[in-house]
Amino acid sequence: MNKKGINKKELMDVLNMHDISPSHPRYRSLLLRDKMAQAYREGILADSALIAHGRGEAFDYIFGEKTNPPAIKAIRAASATLLLAENPVLSVNGNTAVLAAEDMVELASLLPAKVEINLFYRTPPRVVQVERVLKNAGANEVLGKEGDDFLPLKGLEGPRSRAHPEGVYIADVVLVPLEDGDRAEALVALGKKVITIDLNPLSRTAKKSSITIVDNLVRTIPLIINEVKRLRECSRQELEEIVMEFDNDENVSSSLELISEYFKRDEDS
Amino acid sequence: MNKKGINKKELMDVLNMHDISPSHPRYRSLLLRDKMAQAYREGILADSALIAHGRGEAFDYIFGEKTNPPAIKAIRAASATLLLAENPVLSVNGNTAVLAAEDMVELASLLPAKVEINLFYRTPPRVVQVERVLKNAGANEVLGKEGDDFLPLKGLEGPRSRAHPEGVYIADVVLVPLEDGDRAEALVALGKKVITIDLNPLSRTAKKSSITIVDNLVRTIPLIINEVKRLRECSRQELEEIVMEFDNDENVSSSLELISEYFKRDEDS
């Protein structure tokens, strides 16, 4: 499997199965769909994961399945924030592991940042499977494993309150693709900068996070990797300026405007 | 299970599992999600069904999880069209069977109309399961079963071209909740009136159908049942006037405008 998580043989199998030529404009989306279904059958994902993926597909479709200008802006601010962090942590759930394990591991080694497993529907077998996926993608150290110590995050209850004492618990910056709203809010309330990747600009996560990247994480993580490589030549002051100039509320509003315009354009046609 | 497909014990189990009180505004959506996951585990649904359900959830969320005025208009025209039909057929796929079997069967007996199974990813065990769900919901006769005769619909290939000689093949009006675009287009090209229920007003199905109800089928079918009961007192001429006054393109545009306004309103807040 190459860096983009796309294996050529896999791709051809899916295209043949769906009777779709490689030139089909949605072949990438269909491939991801198939990866998710496969991972569900293997027990990596909870029931709700496929449905959540479908919700993401709908928003991605609305955004034209491309990374839009507000997302590019947020990616820039996120990359600067990650480079400025003292204890950055990349939080990985089931969907993130299935869709972007290689990219998450590459980003973690580049910064460097810690990688921590955080599952909404946490079960021991699923934690073991996500750990396996991350290790196969090249991760050296994974936090949040079964048997690992954990401390509860203030404001949360149950498995979602778990945080590794050397990971999310002490992190100043947390990248949490596909986080749930309660957890994003609790992390921000604890003074952490929360960077999230969420295709729904109306979600509570999108509104509560410090930096919201309204985009498909499959496209976002490689773009963050590129931006981190570019920005690490910058001085601390230059990075701080990039972060200062970014207004998350304003940026989320731009994504909403894009959707509104998109439907308006179609309505007029 | 009652008419709405909601069983009180089931509901409480789901709410407890998700640790959500019955007063939670999204409890109905969570219940449906759970029904879908359960049906997937039982093999009734294809992999893509849960993801498709998620796409629907996203659009339903955008529409405020309620039936909006353009949908009400389309439901009225659809009900009049079904009453005027000589050979109406209700087409049922996996998701429709899981979410609304009782309502589809009730509507079929009310009109009366035939019920035909049409699966996008057709496999013999899945056809048998959908037939079982429909029979359990009270269906007397089900077309499109395994071993049933079928004729190919012009313009389509493979399992999607199947039509029962006494069902969709000779139908003048077909109600196809959640139909795929190619098939909706082929049915219209064959001179049939196609009534579809599709939460995505930008889908090819929404654009190609004769009457597009942009709503969640779980809410739509009971509303069609009510409307059919009300309109069957009308004369043929009155029904024809209702159909004549309905403009599908204009009505789909109203749904697009609703989405556009929805995102605009939020953006300003």
Side-chain angles (χ1 to χ4, degrees), chain A residues 1-2 5-17 30-32 34-35 38:
Chain A
M1 196 171 293
N2 70 18
I6 299 226
N7 169 309
K8 205 159 183 192
K9 179 172 175 311
E10 253 183 24
L11 174 59
M12 293 313 295
D13 287 350
V14 175
L15 297 180
N16 289 334
M17 196 181 79
L30 289 169
L31 180 76
L32 295 177
D34 211 66
K35 279 178 85 106
Q38 179 63 31

Side-chain angles (χ1 to χ4, degrees), chain A residues 149-266:
Chain A
D149 278 348
F150 64 91
L151 290 167
L153 293 173
K154 214 176 139 184
L156 292 170
E157 281 175 15
R160 286 151 69 199
S161 72
R162 289 174 78 110
H164 194 281
E166 288 158 37
V168 168
Y169 196 80
I170 55 156
D172 54 345
V173 175
V174 189
L175 172 67
V176 278
L178 316 173
E179 184 56 285
D180 81 289
D182 284 346
R183 210 173 132 101
E185 197 169 357
L187 290 170
V188 169
L190 288 165
K192 300 174 195 304
K193 288 203 175 178
V194 174
I195 302 167
T196 196
I197 305 170
D198 191 326
L199 275 157
N200 176 4
L202 290 168
S203 74
R204 218 148 48 81
T205 305
K207 289 176 181 174
K208 294 292 177 187
S209 296
S210 319
I211 298 176
T212 305
I213 305 167
V214 180
D215 194 23
N216 188 329
L217 83 137
V218 167
R219 291 188 301 267
T220 302
I221 313 286
L223 291 172
I224 296 180
I225 290 170
N226 282 349
E227 194 67 2
V228 164
K229 283 179 184 165
R230 206 173 65 84
L231 292 182
R232 64 180 166 179
E233 311 300 329
C234 293
S235 69
R236 203 168 169 85
Q237 198 188 330
E238 285 170 321
L239 293 175
E240 280 166 356
E241 272 167 24
I242 291 171
V243 176
M244 288 267 289
E245 278 166 15
F246 179 78
D247 181 328
N248 200 51
D249 288 346
E250 194 181 289
N251 203 56
V252 170
S253 286
S254 300
S255 290
L256 292 173
E257 197 170 350
L258 266 182
I259 299 184
S260 180
E261 287 304 313
Y262 178 73
F263 283 97
K264 206 167 206 70
R265 196 170 55 239
D266 204 89

Side-chain angles (χ1 to χ4, degrees), chain A residues 18 33 37 40-41 47 50-51 54-55 57-58 61 121 200 202 256-257 259-260 262-263 266-267, chain B residues 18 33 37 40-41 47 50-51 54-55 57-58 61 121 200 202 207 256-257 259-260 262-263 266-267:
Chain A
H18 291 283
R33 189 181 293 178
Y40 177 79
R41 285 193 293 267
D47 293 332
L50 288 190
I51 296 177
R55 285 197 301 277
E57 272 193 6
Y61 169 88
Y121 296 108
N200 176 4
L202 290 168
L256 292 173
E257 197 170 350
I259 299 184
S260 180
Y262 178 73
F263 283 97
D266 204 89
E267 176 196 326
Chain B
H18 292 282
R33 189 181 294 179
Y40 177 79
R41 285 192 293 266
D47 292 332
L50 288 190
I51 295 177
R55 285 196 301 276
E57 272 193 7
Y61 169 88
Y121 296 108
N200 177 3
L202 289 169
K207 289 176 181 175
L256 292 173
E257 196 171 350
I259 299 184
S260 181
Y262 179 73
F263 283 97
D266 204 273
E267 176 197 325

Side-chain angles (χ1 to χ4, degrees), chain B residues 137-257:
Chain B
N140 291 318
E141 202 194 350
V142 175
L143 306 179
K145 298 189 297 290
E146 269 310 288
D148 274 11
D149 277 348
F150 64 92
L151 290 166
L153 292 172
K154 213 177 138 182
L156 292 171
E157 282 175 14
R160 286 151 68 199
S161 73
R162 289 173 77 109
H164 194 281
E166 289 159 35
V168 167
Y169 197 79
I170 56 156
D172 54 342
V173 174
V174 189
L175 172 67
V176 278
L178 316 173
E179 184 56 284
D180 82 288
D182 285 344
R183 210 173 131 99
E185 197 169 356
L187 290 170
V188 169
L190 288 165
K192 300 174 194 303
K193 287 201 176 180
V194 174
I195 302 166
T196 197
I197 305 169
D198 191 326
L199 275 158
N200 177 3
L202 289 169
S203 75
R204 221 149 47 81
T205 305
K207 289 176 181 175
K208 295 292 177 187
S209 296
S210 319
I211 298 176
T212 304
I213 305 167
V214 180
D215 193 24
N216 188 328
L217 82 137
V218 167
R219 291 188 302 267
T220 301
I221 314 286
L223 292 171
I224 296 181
I225 290 170
N226 282 348
E227 195 67 2
V228 164
K229 284 179 184 165
R230 206 173 65 84
L231 292 181
R232 65 181 164 178
E233 311 300 330
C234 293
S235 69
R236 203 170 168 83
Q237 198 189 328
E238 285 169 321
L239 293 175
E240 280 166 355
E241 272 167 23
I242 290 171
V243 175
M244 288 266 290
E245 279 166 13
F246 180 78
D247 181 328
N248 200 51
D249 288 346
E250 193 182 289
N251 203 56
V252 170
S253 286
S254 300
S255 290
L256 292 173
E257 196 171 350

